[in-house]
Amino acid sequence: MSFKRVSVGLLGFILSIVLLAYLFRLPLTSWFLTPMLGKSGVELHCIDWSLSSKLDLNIEKLCLTYQGQQIELAGIIANKQQVTISRANLTVSNLAGKQAPNSTQTEFKKLALTLPEQRPLISIQQLDVVSPFTDNPVRLAIHEKRLNQFTVSRDFNADVAISNYEVKANIALDDKIAERFIELPKGSHFTSESQLRFDGITVAIESVINARYQHAIEQCELSFTAEGQASAKYQLNQQFMYADLSALNNQLSANRECLNNIANQQHQSFIKAQLPLNWQLQIEQPVTIEGERLSAPMVKLLTTEGQSEITVSNTALSLQNPLTSLNSQVRVDFISRDIDELKLNAHLNEKSVTADFQLSLDSLPTFLDFQADSIQVSGKLRVDELLSKLVVKKLSADISAKNALLADLKITEFTSHIVTQLSDEQHLSAKLSSQAKSINYNEIQVLKINNELSVNSDLSVGELFADIDAKTTAAKLITPQITLNKLSIVTNALQSRALQATHHVFADGLEALVSHHMSKVAHPFELVIPEQAISKFNPIISQFEPLVTITDGVVSGIIKGDVNLQQAKGDIQIAKLGALYNDYLANDFAIEIEGEFNSGQLNIVPTKFTLNELRAGAVVKNIQGQLQVTANQPCAANLTGQVMGGAFVVNKFCPLRDNQTATVKFENIDASKLVTLDAESGISLTGRLAGTLPVVISKQGIEVKQGQLVNQGDGKLLITNNAGFEAVKAQQQELSTTLSLLENLDIKQLKSSVDLKSDGWLHLGVNLQGYNEQQQQAVNFNYNHEENIFTLLRALRLSDEITQKVEKEYAKKGSNDG
């Protein structure tokens, strides 16, 4: 009886203990499992279990953390043969992300799992994995076929094997699986077979990839294909990834229709001929990611034909801000049908680029407004703020072309060197040096041109202000009308709201100063001719009239006006001008001209001029008159002077007018200077003459019609020892007595009609009335005389002292300016 009671009591005690243990199962389980799981690095956060009627373990919820990764399990039924989990959630931490300010970096450790040799097999019907690598959770089903060997299905397929120190997985992906995560365009596909190993710290992947990505923009199809093997390792503690993609064959291509979107057919044809549409991408050296820093030692992009290559080396960037942190070196070697060579070596440093470049072309594309051949371009470039306002901080370049053509402008053997620099204070400086063998524009040609241009500007003020200095020289300027030698133009200019410039011009020794102010509404200018010798104009004058030579004199002046309005006013002074025309000589000419130009017409107010001496056979002195220009028609009026001891006056003479009559009036002319040829002629005439000569000027030449000469007071005619006169008397005996009356004649009246033809033939109809004192006989003599006045004047000039004067002046001054 006592034993029975003891047995019942003991059983009750045991049952009480079991009952208490079941009632306090949760804290007891936690107390028991926590240290045991902790040995494997697993933390237990929650557990709720019970026993079924069949004594199966039913776990409603289980929360674990392993090396920062959290898993929640629910609906677990476990017995000796099987553990079935109906739902599970795995949250993978952002392994590459930043830690919270107050948190510490998770330290991953090598796997050291204590795996039992015998346990129930595990089956997870639904596992949702949340990670920073995908936008949507990855849903999986996991079944353990054999102990520690699992099959994964649903969103992707894999075989996983777990050992104490490593997790191995074979993962297969295809289009259907990929489309669960990303949207693949039509025609794209993706397959891969990967072997993954994880030891708790390092994830290693070996993959065989076959992928094609295709994207269409309207009619343009772009595609990228990758085929081959790739491997990668990721170290969790150091957040370091190493990817070897060298065995991948990557192809980029576009179809020809992509270029059909270029509207201009000429542009389209040119680009089609130059741009390869098939490229190969080679990643020859491993790519690494450490923390947020990606590095790629060498990436190449080559055309399939192998003629062109783009190499990107030493690339480093931050994954958080890839564009603003990019540091890389880029080399471009490009050759095409029309581009002989394009080379570019660039260094990208965050937001700046430094590069040197070289370009060679046989000719420019035909659709450009200008053409050139044998083009060579080389230089260096630095660009800042690449991703925003794109500022060119420094540029130096050399440009050359054998021939260039822009509309009617032709340039041969052109070379240019340019240097521009922009400081951090926004100060811009630019220098341009250019040369050309020749420049042709229509009928104008310039030879051996050199130009030096410098520009300095401060861009920080908000408006464009620039100081411009330039010097241009040319060996020769040739036009149909004129040729200039040794041209030089020195320019100083200021560009603000308008351009203000001053040009110091030299040509053939001539000097001028031009200032102008060019704006949208006006273009005023000022031309200053400093006082200088007029003889400097001889090289120009000789092109229009080779027989004219300036021997003396100075010129100066100033002209002001507006180019846009075609208006100008000027004042030009000429003093002490000496000039030679063949063997005509003019000395000491002076004039001050005030003129106005408006709408293509020149007008000069009546202006007095003087000429001290004109030698043209007869010596004309003290000439003066008025010059006036009306609507481009110059005229001289009230022209007076002294000749042959007397005076003359011309009412008006207009050099450019075809049909006009200028009336020349003479008075008090010394008859001896008019008639006597030389001292040996034996004929002398004394007395004074006056007359009127209507000079008719037309296209046919110069004529005198119905001119008259009359005597002023008495005169005398003497003929002594004149062989010609004596021969006439001997031949015509019947006139001998009459003619002898002329040998010593006191002239009472002399009248002569004067007619001059355009060919130079002069006709004089002379009526001579007088008295021969020796023979006490009155004389009334009529005489007609014809002679070529051009020949006569030539004879007078040759016999005049002008010959010596001309030779002297020409040798002294004219030859120095030829």
Side-chain angles (χ1 to χ4, degrees), residues 286-541:
V287 177
T288 61
I289 299 177
E290 185 170 4
E292 297 177 358
R293 196 72 175 170
L294 181 146
S295 300
M298 181 76 69
V299 177
K300 288 185 178 181
L301 193 62
L302 304 90
T303 58
T304 54
E305 295 83 2
Q307 291 182 320
S308 300
E309 178 179 319
I310 301 173
T311 302
V312 181
S313 58
N314 300 323
T315 301
L317 56 87
S318 169
L319 296 175
Q320 296 293 330
N321 300 292
L323 295 179
T324 57
S325 63
L326 178 62
N327 194 316
S328 183
Q329 289 181 315
V330 180
R331 188 186 73 205
V332 176
D333 290 290
F334 186 82
I335 298 174
S336 68
R337 190 188 72 180
D338 297 311
I339 299 175
D340 294 337
E341 182 180 55
L342 171 60
K343 287 188 176 181
L344 174 69
N345 286 288
H347 181 205
L348 285 71
N349 183 13
E350 296 181 348
K351 297 180 181 180
S352 67
V353 178
T354 57
D356 58 83
F357 54 89
Q358 183 174 329
L359 174 65
S360 299
L361 296 171
D362 283 337
S363 62
L364 292 177
T366 56
F367 56 79
L368 295 177
D369 293 333
F370 61 95
Q371 295 297 309
D373 58 48
S374 301
I375 304 106
Q376 299 285 335
V377 181
S378 62
K380 298 180 181 295
L381 176 71
R382 177 187 166 191
V383 178
D384 285 356
E385 304 297 334
L386 183 64
L387 302 176
S388 53
K389 55 186 178 181
L390 191 65
V391 178
V392 179
K393 297 299 288 287
K394 189 171 184 179
L395 169 66
S396 63
D398 291 288
I399 305 170
S400 66
K402 186 176 182 181
N403 298 288
L405 176 63
L406 175 59
D408 295 327
L409 186 66
K410 299 178 182 178
I411 305 174
T412 61
E413 296 186 19
F414 172 79
T415 61
S416 181
H417 177 70
I418 183 173
V419 176
T420 66
Q421 189 163 358
L422 181 64
S423 69
D424 294 337
E425 293 77 23
Q426 297 296 295
H427 179 77
L428 174 66
S429 63
K431 291 185 178 181
L432 176 66
S433 175
S434 302
Q435 298 83 36
K437 182 179 180 181
S438 67
I439 297 178
N440 293 270
Y441 181 76
N442 293 333
E443 297 180 331
I444 300 174
Q445 184 180 36
V446 188
L447 303 179
K448 293 183 180 179
I449 308 99
N450 287 274
N451 176 261
E452 300 288 338
L453 173 69
S454 65
V455 179
N456 290 278
S457 177
D458 187 358
L459 303 182
S460 63
V461 296
E463 291 188 50
L464 178 61
F465 291 92
D467 291 313
I468 304 171
D469 296 295
K471 182 177 181 180
T472 303
T473 61
K476 193 181 290 287
L477 169 66
I478 303 171
T479 73
Q481 295 78 25
I482 192 173
T483 297
L484 298 177
N485 297 284
K486 299 178 181 178
L487 279 82
S488 175
I489 303 174
V490 179
T491 298
N492 301 104
L494 173 64
Q495 172 65 55
S496 54
R497 291 186 177 92
L499 176 66
Q500 302 178 56
T502 300
H503 310 278
H504 206 165
V505 182
F506 299 87
D508 275 320
L510 294 171
E511 181 181 3
L513 191 66
V514 182
S515 301
H516 61 106
H517 187 124
M518 186 168 60
S519 67
K520 293 181 179 180
V521 296
H523 191 174
F525 74 92
E526 180 180 87
L527 170 63
V528 177
I529 304 173
E531 185 174 293
Q532 55 196 294
I534 308 178
S535 59
K536 293 180 179 180
F537 284 88
N538 279 330
I540 299 175
I541 296 173

Side-chain angles (χ1 to χ4, degrees), residues 589-732:
F589 174 81
I591 190 173
E592 182 174 349
I593 301 172
E594 293 184 11
E596 180 177 339
F597 180 84
N598 192 348
S599 300
Q601 292 190 337
L602 175 65
N603 294 282
I604 297 176
V605 299
T607 304
K608 181 181 178 181
F609 67 87
T610 60
L611 176 60
N612 186 47
E613 183 181 63
L614 174 64
R615 291 177 172 265
V619 179
V620 186
K621 293 188 176 182
N622 299 326
I623 303 169
Q624 63 181 9
Q626 283 191 331
L627 173 66
Q628 182 176 1
V629 177
T630 303
N632 297 332
Q633 290 292 330
C635 293
N638 302 322
L639 189 64
T640 63
Q642 298 175 352
V643 62
M644 296 182 183
F648 71 90
V649 59
V650 180
N651 61 339
K652 190 174 184 179
F653 168 60
C654 301
L656 301 182
R657 189 174 297 173
D658 290 336
N659 297 298
Q660 60 179 317
T661 299
T663 302
V664 183
K665 293 183 179 181
F666 297 91
E667 62 178 14
N668 205 29
I669 299 298
D670 188 343
S672 65
K673 295 182 179 181
L674 178 65
V675 175
T676 303
L677 296 177
D678 54 59
E680 297 179 358
S681 66
I683 300 176
S684 65
L685 177 67
T686 60
R688 295 288 172 173
L689 300 174
T692 300
L693 300 178
V695 180
V696 179
I697 302 172
S698 66
K699 292 182 179 181
Q700 287 72 33
I702 299 177
E703 297 180 307
V704 176
K705 294 183 178 181
Q706 298 180 358
Q708 291 185 345
L709 287 175
V710 296
N711 64 309
Q712 290 180 296
D714 294 339
K716 191 171 185 66
L717 174 64
L718 292 176
I719 303 175
T720 56
N721 300 323
N722 186 282
F725 190 77
E726 295 297 330
V728 172
K729 290 196 298 180
Q731 294 172 2
Q732 302 185 36

Side-chain angles (χ1 to χ4, degrees), residues 515-589:
S515 301
H516 61 106
H517 187 124
M518 186 168 60
S519 67
K520 293 181 179 180
V521 296
H523 191 174
F525 74 92
E526 180 180 87
L527 170 63
V528 177
I529 304 173
E531 185 174 293
Q532 55 196 294
I534 308 178
S535 59
K536 293 180 179 180
F537 284 88
N538 279 330
I540 299 175
I541 296 173
S542 65
Q543 298 174 53
F544 297 96
E545 183 49 73
L547 298 178
V548 174
T549 302
I550 304 297
T551 59
D552 203 354
V554 293
V555 62
S556 62
I558 183 170
I559 300 173
K560 297 181 179 181
D562 191 289
V563 175
N564 292 349
L565 300 177
Q566 296 188 3
Q567 293 179 350
K569 292 183 179 180
D571 187 352
I572 298 177
Q573 300 87 35
I574 298 175
K576 298 181 180 180
L577 171 65
L580 171 68
Y581 177 75
N582 198 359
D583 45 10
Y584 295 96
L585 184 65
N587 283 319
D588 198 6
F589 174 81

